[in-house]
Amino acid sequence: MGTQSMGTLGNGERGAQATPHIVWDWNGTLFHDTDAVITATNAAFAEIGLAPITLARYRELYCVPIPRFYERLMGRLPTSAEWERMDVVFHRHYADHHIRCGLADGAESLLARWQDAGGTQSIMSMYGHEALVPLVRGFGIERRFIRVDGRTGPSGGSKTEHMVRHLTGLDGVAARRTVVIGDAVDDAVAAAHVGAHAVLYTGGSHSRDSLAEAGVPVVDSLAEAVAEAERLVI
């Protein structure tokens, strides 16, 4: 079923199960912040004398935990002191630049249509929780989600344990009827860890080739991502 023909979700025999649910990633997925990320990354690299990186190179090498990404570029892991400096600089520059970024193409209408058709959705992001919530609210889309969770604790790690806590906090949501939509292989890893499906979107941090290694559907638009979500859990 394509998104253009989305009907009422969960009708018939399958409707006796849990409601179909999407867990959205934020950065690079719903929030098109690629320019801000590249700017902040290059500022962090400059802090320790690394040359700037292109978007294509970023997508080719990106991985989590983030220090491993830096290792691919540096040929070694950053020291604790380097990591702390780079992390501070990255977040300072990201904060300066992300205010000019907007939602991905079609995101608002897709969120509304999934909700109107009877599905539920939430956000699980590795962006800091205290910064994420007002940002989502500022776009006027908070009402589309039953829960919005950002990262708590240090940055740079994997989403897996955060995803466990996120799904545990969702009433009436079953992992088998949940699709995680994100732009990173780590989204697929986190989904598999909790028993959910995953769809990966090429508009963010990874190249198509690197996303394909996750073994889940890879798409070039959020509309395609939602269509795959329907196919997987409706």
PDB file of all heavy atoms in Angstrom, residues 132-169:
ATOM      1  N   LEU A 132      15.848  18.849  22.235  1.00  0.00           N
ATOM      2  CA  LEU A 132      14.943  18.265  21.240  1.00  0.00           C
ATOM      3  C   LEU A 132      13.496  18.691  21.435  1.00  0.00           C
ATOM      4  O   LEU A 132      12.821  19.090  20.478  1.00  0.00           O
ATOM      5  CB  LEU A 132      15.034  16.736  21.305  1.00  0.00           C
ATOM      6  CG  LEU A 132      14.040  15.957  20.442  1.00  0.00           C
ATOM      7  CD1 LEU A 132      14.313  16.181  18.957  1.00  0.00           C
ATOM      8  CD2 LEU A 132      14.080  14.466  20.783  1.00  0.00           C
ATOM      9  N   VAL A 133      13.008  18.613  22.650  1.00  0.00           N
ATOM     10  CA  VAL A 133      11.577  18.846  22.894  1.00  0.00           C
ATOM     11  C   VAL A 133      11.130  20.227  22.430  1.00  0.00           C
ATOM     12  O   VAL A 133      10.131  20.346  21.692  1.00  0.00           O
ATOM     13  CB  VAL A 133      11.234  18.595  24.372  1.00  0.00           C
ATOM     14  CG1 VAL A 133       9.805  19.022  24.671  1.00  0.00           C
ATOM     15  CG2 VAL A 133      11.424  17.113  24.715  1.00  0.00           C
ATOM     16  N   PRO A 134      11.798  21.318  22.802  1.00  0.00           N
ATOM     17  CA  PRO A 134      11.343  22.622  22.305  1.00  0.00           C
ATOM     18  C   PRO A 134      11.494  22.782  20.796  1.00  0.00           C
ATOM     19  O   PRO A 134      10.722  23.518  20.171  1.00  0.00           O
ATOM     20  CB  PRO A 134      12.224  23.626  23.061  1.00  0.00           C
ATOM     21  CG  PRO A 134      13.378  22.843  23.571  1.00  0.00           C
ATOM     22  CD  PRO A 134      12.890  21.454  23.780  1.00  0.00           C
ATOM     23  N   LEU A 135      12.456  22.086  20.198  1.00  0.00           N
ATOM     24  CA  LEU A 135      12.622  22.165  18.753  1.00  0.00           C
ATOM     25  C   LEU A 135      11.441  21.519  18.042  1.00  0.00           C
ATOM     26  O   LEU A 135      10.871  22.091  17.102  1.00  0.00           O
ATOM     27  CB  LEU A 135      13.933  21.481  18.352  1.00  0.00           C
ATOM     28  CG  LEU A 135      14.380  21.589  16.901  1.00  0.00           C
ATOM     29  CD1 LEU A 135      14.465  23.042  16.450  1.00  0.00           C
ATOM     30  CD2 LEU A 135      15.725  20.891  16.714  1.00  0.00           C
ATOM     31  N   VAL A 136      11.045  20.337  18.493  1.00  0.00           N
ATOM     32  CA  VAL A 136       9.871  19.663  17.922  1.00  0.00           C
ATOM     33  C   VAL A 136       8.628  20.524  18.129  1.00  0.00           C
ATOM     34  O   VAL A 136       7.815  20.720  17.206  1.00  0.00           O
ATOM     35  CB  VAL A 136       9.680  18.273  18.571  1.00  0.00           C
ATOM     36  CG1 VAL A 136       8.362  17.642  18.116  1.00  0.00           C
ATOM     37  CG2 VAL A 136      10.852  17.361  18.224  1.00  0.00           C
ATOM     38  N   ARG A 137       8.490  21.065  19.320  1.00  0.00           N
ATOM     39  CA  ARG A 137       7.332  21.908  19.633  1.00  0.00           C
ATOM     40  C   ARG A 137       7.294  23.145  18.748  1.00  0.00           C
ATOM     41  O   ARG A 137       6.223  23.580  18.300  1.00  0.00           O
ATOM     42  CB  ARG A 137       7.401  22.303  21.109  1.00  0.00           C
ATOM     43  CG  ARG A 137       6.187  23.045  21.638  1.00  0.00           C
ATOM     44  CD  ARG A 137       6.318  23.235  23.132  1.00  0.00           C
ATOM     45  NE  ARG A 137       6.317  21.949  23.828  1.00  0.00           N
ATOM     46  CZ  ARG A 137       7.086  21.671  24.883  1.00  0.00           C
ATOM     47  NH1 ARG A 137       7.939  22.574  25.354  1.00  0.00           N
ATOM     48  NH2 ARG A 137       7.015  20.489  25.462  1.00  0.00           N
ATOM     49  N   GLY A 138       8.467  23.693  18.453  1.00  0.00           N
ATOM     50  CA  GLY A 138       8.534  24.899  17.636  1.00  0.00           C
ATOM     51  C   GLY A 138       8.056  24.688  16.214  1.00  0.00           C
ATOM     52  O   GLY A 138       7.616  25.649  15.560  1.00  0.00           O
ATOM     53  N   PHE A 139       8.125  23.468  15.711  1.00  0.00           N
ATOM     54  CA  PHE A 139       7.614  23.176  14.376  1.00  0.00           C
ATOM     55  C   PHE A 139       6.116  22.870  14.381  1.00  0.00           C
ATOM     56  O   PHE A 139       5.528  22.600  13.322  1.00  0.00           O
ATOM     57  CB  PHE A 139       8.379  21.998  13.762  1.00  0.00           C
ATOM     58  CG  PHE A 139       9.730  22.361  13.225  1.00  0.00           C
ATOM     59  CD1 PHE A 139      10.884  21.928  13.859  1.00  0.00           C
ATOM     60  CD2 PHE A 139       9.850  23.147  12.088  1.00  0.00           C
ATOM     61  CE1 PHE A 139      12.138  22.267  13.368  1.00  0.00           C
ATOM     62  CE2 PHE A 139      11.096  23.489  11.585  1.00  0.00           C
ATOM     63  CZ  PHE A 139      12.244  23.056  12.237  1.00  0.00           C
ATOM     64  N   GLY A 140       5.493  22.869  15.547  1.00  0.00           N
ATOM     65  CA  GLY A 140       4.054  22.645  15.634  1.00  0.00           C
ATOM     66  C   GLY A 140       3.620  21.220  15.374  1.00  0.00           C
ATOM     67  O   GLY A 140       2.461  20.975  15.021  1.00  0.00           O
ATOM     68  N   ILE A 141       4.523  20.255  15.575  1.00  0.00           N
ATOM     69  CA  ILE A 141       4.201  18.858  15.266  1.00  0.00           C
ATOM     70  C   ILE A 141       4.163  17.966  16.505  1.00  0.00           C
ATOM     71  O   ILE A 141       3.963  16.756  16.392  1.00  0.00           O
ATOM     72  CB  ILE A 141       5.190  18.260  14.244  1.00  0.00           C
ATOM     73  CG1 ILE A 141       6.637  18.351  14.757  1.00  0.00           C
ATOM     74  CG2 ILE A 141       5.054  18.972  12.898  1.00  0.00           C
ATOM     75  CD1 ILE A 141       7.656  17.647  13.872  1.00  0.00           C
ATOM     76  N   GLU A 142       4.343  18.539  17.671  1.00  0.00           N
ATOM     77  CA  GLU A 142       4.410  17.735  18.894  1.00  0.00           C
ATOM     78  C   GLU A 142       3.158  16.880  19.073  1.00  0.00           C
ATOM     79  O   GLU A 142       3.230  15.741  19.564  1.00  0.00           O
ATOM     80  CB  GLU A 142       4.609  18.639  20.098  1.00  0.00           C
ATOM     81  CG  GLU A 142       4.838  17.899  21.409  1.00  0.00           C
ATOM     82  CD  GLU A 142       5.038  18.853  22.572  1.00  0.00           C
ATOM     83  OE1 GLU A 142       4.558  20.006  22.499  1.00  0.00           O
ATOM     84  OE2 GLU A 142       5.672  18.440  23.561  1.00  0.00           O
ATOM     85  N   ARG A 143       2.007  17.394  18.664  1.00  0.00           N
ATOM     86  CA  ARG A 143       0.743  16.676  18.846  1.00  0.00           C
ATOM     87  C   ARG A 143       0.661  15.402  18.019  1.00  0.00           C
ATOM     88  O   ARG A 143      -0.226  14.562  18.246  1.00  0.00           O
ATOM     89  CB  ARG A 143      -0.430  17.595  18.492  1.00  0.00           C
ATOM     90  CG  ARG A 143      -0.528  17.940  17.010  1.00  0.00           C
ATOM     91  CD  ARG A 143      -1.572  19.009  16.747  1.00  0.00           C
ATOM     92  NE  ARG A 143      -1.782  19.279  15.329  1.00  0.00           N
ATOM     93  CZ  ARG A 143      -0.992  20.026  14.587  1.00  0.00           C
ATOM     94  NH1 ARG A 143       0.087  20.584  15.105  1.00  0.00           N
ATOM     95  NH2 ARG A 143      -1.269  20.240  13.308  1.00  0.00           N
ATOM     96  N   ARG A 144       1.562  15.238  17.071  1.00  0.00           N
ATOM     97  CA  ARG A 144       1.545  14.039  16.224  1.00  0.00           C
ATOM     98  C   ARG A 144       2.155  12.815  16.913  1.00  0.00           C
ATOM     99  O   ARG A 144       2.012  11.698  16.405  1.00  0.00           O
ATOM    100  CB  ARG A 144       2.322  14.299  14.924  1.00  0.00           C
ATOM    101  CG  ARG A 144       1.817  15.480  14.101  1.00  0.00           C
ATOM    102  CD  ARG A 144       0.399  15.271  13.657  1.00  0.00           C
ATOM    103  NE  ARG A 144      -0.066  16.380  12.822  1.00  0.00           N
ATOM    104  CZ  ARG A 144      -1.325  16.562  12.471  1.00  0.00           C
ATOM    105  NH1 ARG A 144      -2.260  15.725  12.898  1.00  0.00           N
ATOM    106  NH2 ARG A 144      -1.671  17.586  11.718  1.00  0.00           N
ATOM    107  N   PHE A 145       2.816  13.018  18.059  1.00  0.00           N
ATOM    108  CA  PHE A 145       3.591  11.955  18.692  1.00  0.00           C
ATOM    109  C   PHE A 145       3.048  11.601  20.068  1.00  0.00           C
ATOM    110  O   PHE A 145       2.644  12.479  20.829  1.00  0.00           O
ATOM    111  CB  PHE A 145       5.053  12.377  18.818  1.00  0.00           C
ATOM    112  CG  PHE A 145       5.653  12.848  17.526  1.00  0.00           C
ATOM    113  CD1 PHE A 145       5.843  14.195  17.279  1.00  0.00           C
ATOM    114  CD2 PHE A 145       5.998  11.936  16.539  1.00  0.00           C
ATOM    115  CE1 PHE A 145       6.380  14.641  16.087  1.00  0.00           C
ATOM    116  CE2 PHE A 145       6.531  12.359  15.335  1.00  0.00           C
ATOM    117  CZ  PHE A 145       6.724  13.715  15.110  1.00  0.00           C
ATOM    118  N   ILE A 146       3.076  10.321  20.391  1.00  0.00           N
ATOM    119  CA  ILE A 146       2.672   9.908  21.730  1.00  0.00           C
ATOM    120  C   ILE A 146       3.828  10.000  22.721  1.00  0.00           C
ATOM    121  O   ILE A 146       3.617   9.946  23.933  1.00  0.00           O
ATOM    122  CB  ILE A 146       2.064   8.487  21.729  1.00  0.00           C
ATOM    123  CG1 ILE A 146       3.080   7.440  21.236  1.00  0.00           C
ATOM    124  CG2 ILE A 146       0.791   8.456  20.880  1.00  0.00           C
ATOM    125  CD1 ILE A 146       2.577   6.011  21.367  1.00  0.00           C
ATOM    126  N   ARG A 147       5.039  10.152  22.209  1.00  0.00           N
ATOM    127  CA  ARG A 147       6.203  10.323  23.080  1.00  0.00           C
ATOM    128  C   ARG A 147       7.347  10.914  22.255  1.00  0.00           C
ATOM    129  O   ARG A 147       7.522  10.559  21.097  1.00  0.00           O
ATOM    130  CB  ARG A 147       6.620   8.983  23.691  1.00  0.00           C
ATOM    131  CG  ARG A 147       7.691   9.088  24.773  1.00  0.00           C
ATOM    132  CD  ARG A 147       8.003   7.708  25.354  1.00  0.00           C
ATOM    133  NE  ARG A 147       9.007   7.775  26.406  1.00  0.00           N
ATOM    134  CZ  ARG A 147       8.737   7.863  27.702  1.00  0.00           C
ATOM    135  NH1 ARG A 147       7.478   7.871  28.115  1.00  0.00           N
ATOM    136  NH2 ARG A 147       9.699   7.938  28.600  1.00  0.00           N
ATOM    137  N   VAL A 148       8.093  11.808  22.870  1.00  0.00           N
ATOM    138  CA  VAL A 148       9.282  12.389  22.250  1.00  0.00           C
ATOM    139  C   VAL A 148      10.439  12.210  23.229  1.00  0.00           C
ATOM    140  O   VAL A 148      10.419  12.759  24.327  1.00  0.00           O
ATOM    141  CB  VAL A 148       9.088  13.882  21.920  1.00  0.00           C
ATOM    142  CG1 VAL A 148      10.395  14.494  21.399  1.00  0.00           C
ATOM    143  CG2 VAL A 148       7.964  14.071  20.904  1.00  0.00           C
ATOM    144  N   ASP A 149      11.421  11.417  22.829  1.00  0.00           N
ATOM    145  CA  ASP A 149      12.579  11.155  23.680  1.00  0.00           C
ATOM    146  C   ASP A 149      13.861  11.536  22.958  1.00  0.00           C
ATOM    147  O   ASP A 149      14.104  11.107  21.829  1.00  0.00           O
ATOM    148  CB  ASP A 149      12.684   9.665  24.042  1.00  0.00           C
ATOM    149  CG  ASP A 149      11.724   9.247  25.137  1.00  0.00           C
ATOM    150  OD1 ASP A 149      11.328  10.110  25.943  1.00  0.00           O
ATOM    151  OD2 ASP A 149      11.373   8.053  25.180  1.00  0.00           O
ATOM    152  N   GLY A 150      14.682  12.334  23.643  1.00  0.00           N
ATOM    153  CA  GLY A 150      16.026  12.606  23.174  1.00  0.00           C
ATOM    154  C   GLY A 150      17.034  11.885  24.048  1.00  0.00           C
ATOM    155  O   GLY A 150      16.678  11.229  25.031  1.00  0.00           O
ATOM    156  N   ARG A 151      18.289  12.032  23.671  1.00  0.00           N
ATOM    157  CA  ARG A 151      19.356  11.385  24.429  1.00  0.00           C
ATOM    158  C   ARG A 151      19.485  11.992  25.824  1.00  0.00           C
ATOM    159  O   ARG A 151      19.385  13.195  26.009  1.00  0.00           O
ATOM    160  CB  ARG A 151      20.694  11.588  23.699  1.00  0.00           C
ATOM    161  CG  ARG A 151      21.880  10.848  24.302  1.00  0.00           C
ATOM    162  CD  ARG A 151      23.202  11.411  23.844  1.00  0.00           C
ATOM    163  NE  ARG A 151      23.531  12.669  24.515  1.00  0.00           N
ATOM    164  CZ  ARG A 151      23.513  13.861  23.947  1.00  0.00           C
ATOM    165  NH1 ARG A 151      23.183  13.984  22.674  1.00  0.00           N
ATOM    166  NH2 ARG A 151      23.810  14.942  24.638  1.00  0.00           N
ATOM    167  N   THR A 152      19.685  11.126  26.794  1.00  0.00           N
ATOM    168  CA  THR A 152      20.096  11.563  28.119  1.00  0.00           C
ATOM    169  C   THR A 152      21.475  10.964  28.377  1.00  0.00           C
ATOM    170  O   THR A 152      21.757   9.843  27.951  1.00  0.00           O
ATOM    171  CB  THR A 152      19.118  11.093  29.207  1.00  0.00           C
ATOM    172  OG1 THR A 152      18.982   9.668  29.146  1.00  0.00           O
ATOM    173  CG2 THR A 152      17.741  11.733  29.009  1.00  0.00           C
ATOM    174  N   GLY A 153      22.341  11.700  29.029  1.00  0.00           N
ATOM    175  CA  GLY A 153      23.693  11.222  29.249  1.00  0.00           C
ATOM    176  C   GLY A 153      24.639  11.694  28.161  1.00  0.00           C
ATOM    177  O   GLY A 153      24.276  12.508  27.303  1.00  0.00           O
ATOM    178  N   PRO A 154      25.868  11.181  28.157  1.00  0.00           N
ATOM    179  CA  PRO A 154      26.895  11.654  27.220  1.00  0.00           C
ATOM    180  C   PRO A 154      26.513  11.403  25.765  1.00  0.00           C
ATOM    181  O   PRO A 154      25.789  10.466  25.441  1.00  0.00           O
ATOM    182  CB  PRO A 154      28.134  10.829  27.610  1.00  0.00           C
ATOM    183  CG  PRO A 154      27.867  10.335  28.990  1.00  0.00           C
ATOM    184  CD  PRO A 154      26.384  10.157  29.082  1.00  0.00           C
ATOM    185  N   SER A 155      27.044  12.244  24.880  1.00  0.00           N
ATOM    186  CA  SER A 155      26.822  12.065  23.451  1.00  0.00           C
ATOM    187  C   SER A 155      27.840  11.087  22.883  1.00  0.00           C
ATOM    188  O   SER A 155      28.820  10.733  23.530  1.00  0.00           O
ATOM    189  CB  SER A 155      26.929  13.411  22.722  1.00  0.00           C
ATOM    190  OG  SER A 155      28.232  13.943  22.853  1.00  0.00           O
ATOM    191  N   GLY A 156      27.572  10.645  21.647  1.00  0.00           N
ATOM    192  CA  GLY A 156      28.543   9.844  20.925  1.00  0.00           C
ATOM    193  C   GLY A 156      28.321   8.353  20.928  1.00  0.00           C
ATOM    194  O   GLY A 156      29.031   7.618  20.254  1.00  0.00           O
ATOM    195  N   GLY A 157      27.339   7.855  21.684  1.00  0.00           N
ATOM    196  CA  GLY A 157      27.128   6.413  21.782  1.00  0.00           C
ATOM    197  C   GLY A 157      26.097   5.882  20.814  1.00  0.00           C
ATOM    198  O   GLY A 157      25.675   6.553  19.878  1.00  0.00           O
ATOM    199  N   SER A 158      25.672   4.648  21.061  1.00  0.00           N
ATOM    200  CA  SER A 158      24.690   3.974  20.220  1.00  0.00           C
ATOM    201  C   SER A 158      23.273   4.247  20.720  1.00  0.00           C
ATOM    202  O   SER A 158      23.057   4.568  21.893  1.00  0.00           O
ATOM    203  CB  SER A 158      24.952   2.467  20.222  1.00  0.00           C
ATOM    204  OG  SER A 158      23.910   1.774  19.565  1.00  0.00           O
ATOM    205  N   LYS A 159      22.320   4.073  19.824  1.00  0.00           N
ATOM    206  CA  LYS A 159      20.908   4.297  20.151  1.00  0.00           C
ATOM    207  C   LYS A 159      20.256   3.085  20.817  1.00  0.00           C
ATOM    208  O   LYS A 159      19.145   3.186  21.340  1.00  0.00           O
ATOM    209  CB  LYS A 159      20.149   4.664  18.865  1.00  0.00           C
ATOM    210  CG  LYS A 159      18.694   5.013  19.058  1.00  0.00           C
ATOM    211  CD  LYS A 159      18.022   5.429  17.756  1.00  0.00           C
ATOM    212  CE  LYS A 159      18.315   6.865  17.424  1.00  0.00           C
ATOM    213  NZ  LYS A 159      17.513   7.364  16.280  1.00  0.00           N
ATOM    214  N   THR A 160      20.932   1.950  20.850  1.00  0.00           N
ATOM    215  CA  THR A 160      20.297   0.694  21.227  1.00  0.00           C
ATOM    216  C   THR A 160      19.625   0.744  22.587  1.00  0.00           C
ATOM    217  O   THR A 160      18.425   0.446  22.724  1.00  0.00           O
ATOM    218  CB  THR A 160      21.321  -0.455  21.195  1.00  0.00           C
ATOM    219  OG1 THR A 160      21.826  -0.580  19.863  1.00  0.00           O
ATOM    220  CG2 THR A 160      20.676  -1.763  21.604  1.00  0.00           C
ATOM    221  N   GLU A 161      20.348   1.101  23.631  1.00  0.00           N
ATOM    222  CA  GLU A 161      19.757   1.098  24.967  1.00  0.00           C
ATOM    223  C   GLU A 161      18.709   2.197  25.121  1.00  0.00           C
ATOM    224  O   GLU A 161      17.731   2.025  25.851  1.00  0.00           O
ATOM    225  CB  GLU A 161      20.846   1.233  26.030  1.00  0.00           C
ATOM    226  CG  GLU A 161      21.772   0.026  26.099  1.00  0.00           C
ATOM    227  CD  GLU A 161      21.004  -1.281  26.257  1.00  0.00           C
ATOM    228  OE1 GLU A 161      20.051  -1.320  27.064  1.00  0.00           O
ATOM    229  OE2 GLU A 161      21.341  -2.269  25.567  1.00  0.00           O
ATOM    230  N   HIS A 162      18.900   3.303  24.432  1.00  0.00           N
ATOM    231  CA  HIS A 162      17.885   4.356  24.440  1.00  0.00           C
ATOM    232  C   HIS A 162      16.586   3.843  23.818  1.00  0.00           C
ATOM    233  O   HIS A 162      15.484   4.174  24.282  1.00  0.00           O
ATOM    234  CB  HIS A 162      18.384   5.578  23.684  1.00  0.00           C
ATOM    235  CG  HIS A 162      19.556   6.261  24.313  1.00  0.00           C
ATOM    236  ND1 HIS A 162      19.415   7.205  25.305  1.00  0.00           N
ATOM    237  CD2 HIS A 162      20.883   6.116  24.107  1.00  0.00           C
ATOM    238  CE1 HIS A 162      20.614   7.636  25.674  1.00  0.00           C
ATOM    239  NE2 HIS A 162      21.520   6.989  24.962  1.00  0.00           N
ATOM    240  N   MET A 163      16.705   3.034  22.769  1.00  0.00           N
ATOM    241  CA  MET A 163      15.524   2.480  22.114  1.00  0.00           C
ATOM    242  C   MET A 163      14.788   1.516  23.039  1.00  0.00           C
ATOM    243  O   MET A 163      13.549   1.478  23.050  1.00  0.00           O
ATOM    244  CB  MET A 163      15.910   1.777  20.809  1.00  0.00           C
ATOM    245  CG  MET A 163      14.726   1.320  19.975  1.00  0.00           C
ATOM    246  SD  MET A 163      13.730   2.696  19.319  1.00  0.00           S
ATOM    247  CE  MET A 163      14.849   3.298  18.034  1.00  0.00           C
ATOM    248  N   VAL A 164      15.529   0.743  23.793  1.00  0.00           N
ATOM    249  CA  VAL A 164      14.892  -0.156  24.763  1.00  0.00           C
ATOM    250  C   VAL A 164      14.029   0.648  25.735  1.00  0.00           C
ATOM    251  O   VAL A 164      12.857   0.312  25.968  1.00  0.00           O
ATOM    252  CB  VAL A 164      15.955  -0.966  25.534  1.00  0.00           C
ATOM    253  CG1 VAL A 164      15.309  -1.757  26.668  1.00  0.00           C
ATOM    254  CG2 VAL A 164      16.698  -1.905  24.594  1.00  0.00           C
ATOM    255  N   ARG A 165      14.588   1.692  26.293  1.00  0.00           N
ATOM    256  CA  ARG A 165      13.831   2.518  27.243  1.00  0.00           C
ATOM    257  C   ARG A 165      12.651   3.200  26.560  1.00  0.00           C
ATOM    258  O   ARG A 165      11.570   3.335  27.156  1.00  0.00           O
ATOM    259  CB  ARG A 165      14.750   3.555  27.883  1.00  0.00           C
ATOM    260  CG  ARG A 165      15.753   2.963  28.865  1.00  0.00           C
ATOM    261  CD  ARG A 165      16.452   4.041  29.667  1.00  0.00           C
ATOM    262  NE  ARG A 165      17.319   4.858  28.847  1.00  0.00           N
ATOM    263  CZ  ARG A 165      18.602   4.574  28.600  1.00  0.00           C
ATOM    264  NH1 ARG A 165      19.156   3.485  29.117  1.00  0.00           N
ATOM    265  NH2 ARG A 165      19.332   5.381  27.854  1.00  0.00           N
ATOM    266  N   HIS A 166      12.864   3.635  25.324  1.00  0.00           N
ATOM    267  CA  HIS A 166      11.793   4.324  24.603  1.00  0.00           C
ATOM    268  C   HIS A 166      10.594   3.410  24.389  1.00  0.00           C
ATOM    269  O   HIS A 166       9.454   3.779  24.715  1.00  0.00           O
ATOM    270  CB  HIS A 166      12.329   4.810  23.258  1.00  0.00           C
ATOM    271  CG  HIS A 166      11.335   5.562  22.437  1.00  0.00           C
ATOM    272  ND1 HIS A 166      10.890   6.829  22.759  1.00  0.00           N
ATOM    273  CD2 HIS A 166      10.666   5.216  21.290  1.00  0.00           C
ATOM    274  CE1 HIS A 166      10.010   7.236  21.857  1.00  0.00           C
ATOM    275  NE2 HIS A 166       9.854   6.274  20.960  1.00  0.00           N
ATOM    276  N   LEU A 167      10.811   2.218  23.848  1.00  0.00           N
ATOM    277  CA  LEU A 167       9.693   1.312  23.591  1.00  0.00           C
ATOM    278  C   LEU A 167       9.037   0.853  24.880  1.00  0.00           C
ATOM    279  O   LEU A 167       7.814   0.678  24.930  1.00  0.00           O
ATOM    280  CB  LEU A 167      10.154   0.110  22.774  1.00  0.00           C
ATOM    281  CG  LEU A 167      10.273   0.300  21.258  1.00  0.00           C
ATOM    282  CD1 LEU A 167      10.513  -1.041  20.586  1.00  0.00           C
ATOM    283  CD2 LEU A 167       9.049   0.965  20.664  1.00  0.00           C
ATOM    284  N   THR A 168       9.825   0.670  25.920  1.00  0.00           N
ATOM    285  CA  THR A 168       9.260   0.275  27.208  1.00  0.00           C
ATOM    286  C   THR A 168       8.280   1.317  27.722  1.00  0.00           C
ATOM    287  O   THR A 168       7.292   0.987  28.390  1.00  0.00           O
ATOM    288  CB  THR A 168      10.387   0.052  28.241  1.00  0.00           C
ATOM    289  OG1 THR A 168      11.249  -0.985  27.767  1.00  0.00           O
ATOM    290  CG2 THR A 168       9.827  -0.352  29.592  1.00  0.00           C
ATOM    291  N   GLY A 169       8.529   2.582  27.371  1.00  0.00           N
ATOM    292  CA  GLY A 169       7.670   3.661  27.837  1.00  0.00           C
ATOM    293  C   GLY A 169       6.450   3.920  26.980  1.00  0.00           C
ATOM    294  O   GLY A 169       5.684   4.851  27.264  1.00  0.00           O
TER     295      GLY A 169
END
